[in-house]
Amino acid sequence: MLCLWPLSGQVQAIVASPVLPAPALLSAQDSDPTTLGWMQGFPPPPEKRLSVADGSFFTFPALRYSVVHMREFLPTVNVSRGITMSQLFPKAIDKAIAEIEFTPWHSHKTMTFADSLWHNYTDGIVVLHKGKLVYEDYFGALTPKNKHAAMSVTKSFTGTLAAMLVAEGALDDTKTVAEYVPELTDSAFGDATVRQVLDMTTGLKYSEDYADPDAEIWAYSTAGNPLPKPKEYQGPVGYFEYLQQVKKQGEHGEAFAYKTINSDALGWIISRVTGKSVAELLSEKIWQRLGMEQDAYYQVDELGIPFAGGGLSAGLRDMARFGELIRNQGRWKNKQIIPAAVIADIQQGADPEAFAKAGYNSLKGWSYRNMWWVTHNNNGAFAARGVHGQTIYIDPKAEMVLVRFASHPVASNSANDATSLPAYQAVADYLMTKD
Amino acid sequence: MLCLWPLSGQVQAIVASPVLPAPALLSAQDSDPTTLGWMQGFPPPPEKRLSVADGSFFTFPALRYSVVHMREFLPTVNVSRGITMSQLFPKAIDKAIAEIEFTPWHSHKTMTFADSLWHNYTDGIVVLHKGKLVYEDYFGALTPKNKHAAMSVTKSFTGTLAAMLVAEGALDDTKTVAEYVPELTDSAFGDATVRQVLDMTTGLKYSEDYADPDAEIWAYSTAGNPLPKPKEYQGPVGYFEYLQQVKKQGEHGEAFAYKTINSDALGWIISRVTGKSVAELLSEKIWQRLGMEQDAYYQVDELGIPFAGGGLSAGLRDMARFGELIRNQGRWKNKQIIPAAVIADIQQGADPEAFAKAGYNSLKGWSYRNMWWVTHNNNGAFAARGVHGQTIYIDPKAEMVLVRFASHPVASNSANDATSLPAYQAVADYLMTKD
């Protein structure tokens, strides 16, 4: 699930390395962005300045600052909460959760839930049980009043919006992409069905191997980068133009292959069907209807198109509201915000055999449906997941929603899953012993 | 009061021409940004694309779109409303206000208030009488749920924050700028007092004459532009570095001279005294305390410094809340948010003789205090003013606060004052006949 947030033309080598952080890396405590003073001072001293142009803003440890300040580096489009009243969660904080012990994968030593949060460079964590706030904590640069980059958790919003259109009959997931976006006819997407895009079983020649200078990720990054292109640049401008020249590799419908550009193509389909950007649609369908505390925002490309594959930033509690909406089968305060069929379809998941072909050794038996990760475990848990440790983890049986924002030095979640997924399970087990 | 929002390296000639729009210009109706379709479509067609890099986003009529979408073009920093409940205005809409007639300056024909709004390319207007909403309308791309560039209305926020620090004893306005910002010691600001900066009676070699390619505005624009500088660029980076090399011209304290860089210098002083950016301070002191409906934001320079001279965007009603706070001598719901002495000091104004030296022929008898324009008229009206027709106009005697956002094709307010200021007076006269 390696998916770098594709903007900078320069990416530090470590991002491409899905291994545990080397001991030389600063710990969460030692890499605290407030202590390190990024962009602090009037003006910030040269050694504390971060920039999109040179890529410095998204290298570790500076990225611990930037994940909470994307808007200060980039053009963005608002996802309005409207001007309605916020609806706060009832609180039932349970201090025992911090001390819950679990055994990380590949380990014999137990760890507490609170320790796992430091271990995984957590910036913010909220746990809801039966809709009540039972655990909440903030680290790094995150507070209850600001926002954090959701990275590829964004994809689950894109997928949910599209699945809503399918359930409402506005979008036919058996039709080809070309029927909705004629500009994609000659690209690899042209003869893929909307369903194949939604479940990422398209056959696309698109590599996110950062070690390969010829990998398509670089051209994609450049196309989507909102900074002005160099004069000599002849390539595609913006996400949509990039998508038009994606070539086919293999057949559609055979294997799950996690490729961010599916989400961007889905964003295009959504906008063609609704006449609205994903930012406008998310505001209208979700953000204005849940009593959100804060607006959210998307980074945009040079043409103002929101980055549907990974550009959302939002408040932690607002992400939890969305998770709770999903856990409640799309109902919120007696209103059906999302058709129940959409959530049922996500929970049912897709074909684990198609998923297995992608080779995620640590995610055995999982599948990917409507841009959600489905564990198929005993509790029927499913999740939105983004690089550097972002997640919305929903455990229906435990009636738990867990949201974590993080700034782990390693992009790939394979670097933190060993101390995250078993921790979530332990909290779920604990909550199931409660009323 | 010619003050272009200084970002683009290219400025259309008309901006520098403080005359009424030529007949060839599109009317407000014909230049409606929604009808013209700027940045609309997935993706927008080439002829509808706007860009900061080529300056197209801030030429008329496209600027009518951009004033409501600054954040989609530029990096910005949030001014948080917190996560408190919004407090809505009591409504007492009075439809008769639309039909109020007045005679524009230099004219023999009357005009209605409603007509004046079209004439002046109004994007949004709110009139409060005794704290009740008596008139509200939206045009162009503005709605109650989005935000508009306040242009130099921003300066009145900067001035108010600084005046609050003076009233609280944290800032001594008789001290020199150099005492607070040593980096400015060798610049023209070094031996100016904080008061001279607050009232713009500094003697600075700084021209905003857009017709002159050697005018300092160009170097200032380049320094503050958040886009990466060209490799060969050797000049100042960011607003603060620019200020350090401003040269003196004339003496401080002798004449009012409206120069945006005073507001930026004041922003620096504020941040040195408080350890906070103007965005943080505005959030803490004002935005989180008035039940604002929306967050606001500032555009920032390459170093993340908010543009204190003109970078604020906010919701129309939230601007009205601020205006109403000022009209109520800094009290809001029985809390003293701004020391009453600050408002009294603004209302008293500065020296009209010093003001007269700036040669504003149509603003006879006015003065400029704490970055507010003081009319010294019979009603004691005073205003925040920004190019292209932005204003917060406060008439204490009429117990009226009028806020207008606009996108007039001509930057200078001299192009719209003739149909604005007498219209505001007529509405005030009318409201004084009411309970």
Side-chain angles (χ1 to χ4, degrees):
Chain A
M1 102 210 49
L2 187 63
C3 164
L4 179 73
W5 175 75
L7 189 122
S8 166
Q10 299 184 18
V11 177
Q12 74 283 29
I14 193 167
V15 167
S17 163
V19 294
L20 286 168
L25 275 178
L26 289 175
S27 70
Q29 288 87 341
D30 292 342
S31 63
D32 184 281
T34 309
T35 313
L36 294 184
W38 305 111
M39 295 298 271
Q40 302 304 301
F42 303 101
E47 71 277 14
K48 297 300 182 188
R49 295 178 187 176
L50 303 174
S51 144
V52 172
D54 67 9
S56 59
F57 89 124
F58 226 70
T59 56
F60 180 83
L63 69 82
R64 301 207 66 198
Y65 173 87
S66 301
V67 285
V68 179
H69 295 270
M70 301 300 266
R71 179 178 260 167
E72 290 159 50
F73 294 105
L74 295 162
T76 56
V77 61
N78 219 43
V79 177
S80 172
R81 59 180 282 279
I83 48 181
T84 55
M85 297 299 171
S86 305
Q87 296 164 11
L88 302 181
F89 289 114
K91 277 201 182 186
I93 298 296
D94 183 348
K95 292 190 177 176
I97 294 173
E99 304 308 319
I100 293 172
E101 296 211 344
F102 69 98
T103 305
W105 292 346
H106 327 300
S107 172
H108 298 291
K109 280 180 61 180
T110 61
M111 179 182 278
T112 66
F113 183 63
D115 281 344
S116 78
L117 301 176
W118 282 109
H119 195 85
N120 289 324
Y121 299 76
T122 297
D123 293 324
I125 179 103
V126 154
V127 183
L128 299 177
H129 181 225
K130 300 183 181 178
K132 289 183 185 168
L133 197 62
V134 294
Y135 198 88
E136 181 176 25
D137 208 354
Y138 296 87
F139 308 81
L142 192 66
T143 77
K145 292 185 187 174
N146 61 20
K147 305 169 190 65
H148 194 288
M151 303 292 167
S152 292
V153 166
T154 307
K155 294 179 171 72
S156 303
F157 286 87
T158 311
T160 303
L161 289 173
M164 287 169 76
L165 296 171
V166 172
E168 292 163 2
L171 175 63
D172 182 345
D173 64 353
T174 68
K175 286 194 177 171
T176 64
V177 172
E179 290 186 72
Y180 290 105
V181 184
E183 293 95 321
L184 287 175
T185 304
D186 295 333
S187 77
F189 292 102
D191 65 344
T193 64
V194 171
R195 172 51 53 196
Q196 287 160 344
V197 172
L198 256 163
D199 296 347
M200 292 208 194
T201 58
T202 44
L204 309 175
K205 182 173 176 337
Y206 180 81
S207 161
E208 294 185 13
D209 176 2
Y210 305 102
D212 175 5
D214 294 328
E216 288 81 4
I217 178 69
W218 303 116
Y220 172 68
S221 296
T222 304
N225 190 321
L227 295 179
K229 306 279 180 278
K231 273 193 185 129
E232 64 278 13
Y233 180 77
Q234 299 284 332
V237 173
Y239 297 114
F240 292 167
E241 218 170 271
Y242 178 83
L243 297 175
Q244 292 174 57
Q245 40 95 73
V246 173
K247 300 270 181 291
K248 207 162 169 176
Q249 189 172 66
E251 293 302 314
H252 300 317
E254 293 192 345
F256 168 64
Y258 185 79
K259 298 185 175 183
T260 296
I261 53 175
N262 284 293
S263 304
D264 294 304
L266 192 60
W268 199 352
I269 292 165
I270 289 170
S271 292
R272 273 296 159 78
V273 168
T274 62
K276 290 172 179 152
S277 74
V278 290
E280 289 172 284
L281 198 67
L282 181 59
S283 169
E284 189 181 287
K285 295 264 191 190
I286 306 284
W287 229 258
Q288 298 195 37
R289 303 188 70 188
L290 299 192
M292 295 298 200
E293 293 177 21
Q294 299 185 62
D295 292 348
Y297 64 82
Y298 283 91
Q299 61 177 89
V300 295
D301 70 15
E302 216 176 308
L303 307 180
I305 302 295
F307 174 29
L312 185 67
S313 284
L316 181 67
R317 290 182 190 154
D318 290 337
M319 297 298 271
R321 277 181 182 76
F322 178 71
E324 183 64 10
L325 171 72
I326 298 288
R327 187 185 73 80
N328 280 307
Q329 304 297 314
R331 285 187 308 281
W332 187 264
K333 312 268 177 197
N334 299 318
K335 277 190 194 158
Q336 194 72 36
I337 307 286
I338 300 176
V342 170
I343 318 298
D345 187 45
I346 294 166
Q347 291 191 245
Q348 193 176 341
D351 177 13
E353 279 187 39
F355 184 92
K357 294 177 186 168
Y360 292 98
N361 292 327
S362 57
L363 307 180
K364 295 274 187 216
W366 288 37
S367 74
Y368 193 78
R369 184 68 170 179
N370 293 331
M371 305 202 172
W372 287 81
W373 300 83
V374 185
T375 69
H376 296 274
N377 71 5
N378 291 335
N379 288 14
F382 56 105
R385 289 161 60 88
V387 286
H388 299 283
Q390 326 311 320
T391 199
I392 303 173
Y393 183 91
I394 299 171
D395 186 317
K397 194 170 174 194
E399 299 173 271
M400 176 183 85
V401 172
L402 181 151
V403 179
R404 184 181 66 190
F405 280 143
S407 43
H408 197 285
V410 179
S412 170
N413 281 325
S414 61
N416 72 72
D417 276 345
T419 49
S420 300
L421 294 173
Y424 304 163
Q425 183 63 50
V427 176
D429 290 344
Y430 168 80
L431 291 175
M432 283 192 289
T433 69
K434 295 285 171 183
D435 283 337
Chain B
M1 108 207 47
L2 186 63
C3 165
L4 179 73
W5 175 73
L7 191 122
S8 163
Q10 297 185 19
V11 179
Q12 75 280 31
I14 195 168
V15 167
S17 163
V19 296
L20 286 167
L25 276 178
L26 290 173
S27 69
Q29 289 86 343
D30 291 344
S31 63
D32 184 281
T34 309
T35 313
L36 294 183
W38 305 111
M39 295 297 273
Q40 302 303 301
F42 302 100
E47 71 277 14
K48 298 299 183 190
R49 294 177 188 177
L50 303 175
S51 144
V52 171
D54 66 10
S56 60
F57 89 124
F58 225 71
T59 55
F60 181 84
L63 70 83
R64 301 207 66 200
Y65 173 86
S66 301
V67 286
V68 179
H69 296 270
M70 301 299 269
R71 180 179 259 169
E72 290 159 51
F73 294 105
L74 294 163
T76 56
V77 63
N78 219 43
V79 177
S80 171
R81 59 179 282 280
I83 47 181
T84 56
M85 298 297 172
S86 304
Q87 296 165 10
L88 302 180
F89 290 114
K91 276 201 182 187
I93 298 295
D94 183 345
K95 292 192 177 173
I97 293 171
E99 302 308 319
I100 292 172
E101 296 212 341
F102 70 97
T103 306
W105 293 346
H106 327 300
S107 171
H108 298 291
K109 283 180 61 180
T110 62
M111 180 183 275
T112 66
F113 182 63
D115 281 345
S116 77
L117 301 177
W118 283 108
H119 195 84
N120 289 324
Y121 298 77
T122 297
D123 292 324
I125 179 107
V126 155
V127 184
L128 300 177
H129 182 224
K130 299 181 180 178
K132 290 184 181 165
L133 197 62
V134 295
Y135 197 89
E136 182 176 26
D137 208 355
Y138 296 87
F139 307 82
L142 191 68
T143 76
K145 291 184 190 174
N146 61 21
K147 304 168 193 62
H148 194 288
M151 303 294 167
S152 292
V153 165
T154 308
K155 295 180 172 69
S156 304
F157 285 87
T158 311
T160 303
L161 289 174
M164 288 169 74
L165 295 173
V166 172
E168 293 164 1
L171 176 62
D172 182 345
D173 64 353
T174 66
K175 286 192 176 173
T176 64
V177 172
E179 291 186 70
Y180 289 105
V181 185
E183 294 96 321
L184 287 175
T185 304
D186 296 333
S187 79
F189 291 102
D191 63 345
T193 64
V194 171
R195 172 51 53 196
Q196 287 159 344
V197 172
L198 257 164
D199 295 349
M200 293 208 194
T201 58
T202 44
L204 308 176
K205 185 173 175 337
Y206 181 81
S207 161
E208 293 187 14
D209 176 2
Y210 305 102
D212 175 6
D214 294 329
E216 287 80 5
I217 179 70
W218 302 116
Y220 172 69
S221 297
T222 304
N225 191 321
L227 294 179
K229 308 282 181 276
K231 272 191 188 133
E232 65 278 15
Y233 180 76
Q234 298 284 332
V237 173
Y239 296 115
F240 292 166
E241 217 169 272
Y242 177 83
L243 297 175
Q244 292 174 56
Q245 41 96 73
V246 173
K247 300 271 182 293
K248 207 161 170 179
Q249 188 172 67
E251 293 303 315
H252 300 319
E254 292 192 345
F256 168 64
Y258 185 79
K259 295 183 177 185
T260 296
I261 51 175
N262 284 292
S263 303
D264 295 305
L266 192 61
W268 200 352
I269 293 165
I270 288 169
S271 292
R272 274 295 159 79
V273 169
T274 63
K276 291 173 179 155
S277 75
V278 290
E280 291 172 285
L281 198 66
L282 181 59
S283 169
E284 189 180 287
K285 294 266 193 187
I286 306 285
W287 228 259
Q288 298 197 38
R289 304 189 68 187
L290 301 191
M292 295 297 199
E293 292 177 23
Q294 299 185 63
D295 291 348
Y297 64 83
Y298 283 90
Q299 61 177 87
V300 295
D301 69 17
E302 215 177 305
L303 307 181
I305 302 295
F307 174 29
L312 185 69
S313 283
L316 181 66
R317 289 180 191 157
D318 290 336
M319 296 298 270
R321 275 180 183 79
F322 177 70
E324 183 65 8
L325 172 70
I326 299 287
R327 187 186 74 77
N328 281 306
Q329 305 296 313
R331 285 187 308 279
W332 187 265
K333 313 268 179 197
N334 300 319
K335 275 190 197 159
Q336 195 72 35
I337 308 286
I338 299 177
V342 170
I343 319 299
D345 186 45
I346 294 166
Q347 290 192 246
Q348 191 176 343
D351 177 14
E353 277 186 41
F355 185 91
K357 293 178 185 167
Y360 291 99
N361 292 327
S362 58
L363 305 180
K364 296 275 187 216
W366 288 36
S367 71
Y368 192 79
R369 182 70 170 178
N370 292 333
M371 305 203 172
W372 287 81
W373 301 82
V374 185
T375 71
H376 295 275
N377 72 4
N378 291 334
N379 289 13
F382 57 105
R385 290 160 62 86
V387 285
H388 298 284
Q390 327 310 321
T391 200
I392 304 173
Y393 184 91
I394 299 171
D395 186 317
K397 193 170 173 191
E399 299 173 89
M400 176 182 87
V401 171
L402 181 151
V403 178
R404 184 180 68 191
F405 280 142
S407 45
H408 196 288
V410 178
S412 170
N413 282 326
S414 61
N416 73 72
D417 277 343
T419 50
S420 299
L421 294 173
Y424 304 164
Q425 182 62 51
V427 176
D429 290 344
Y430 168 81
L431 292 175
M432 283 193 288
T433 69
K434 296 282 172 186
D435 285 337

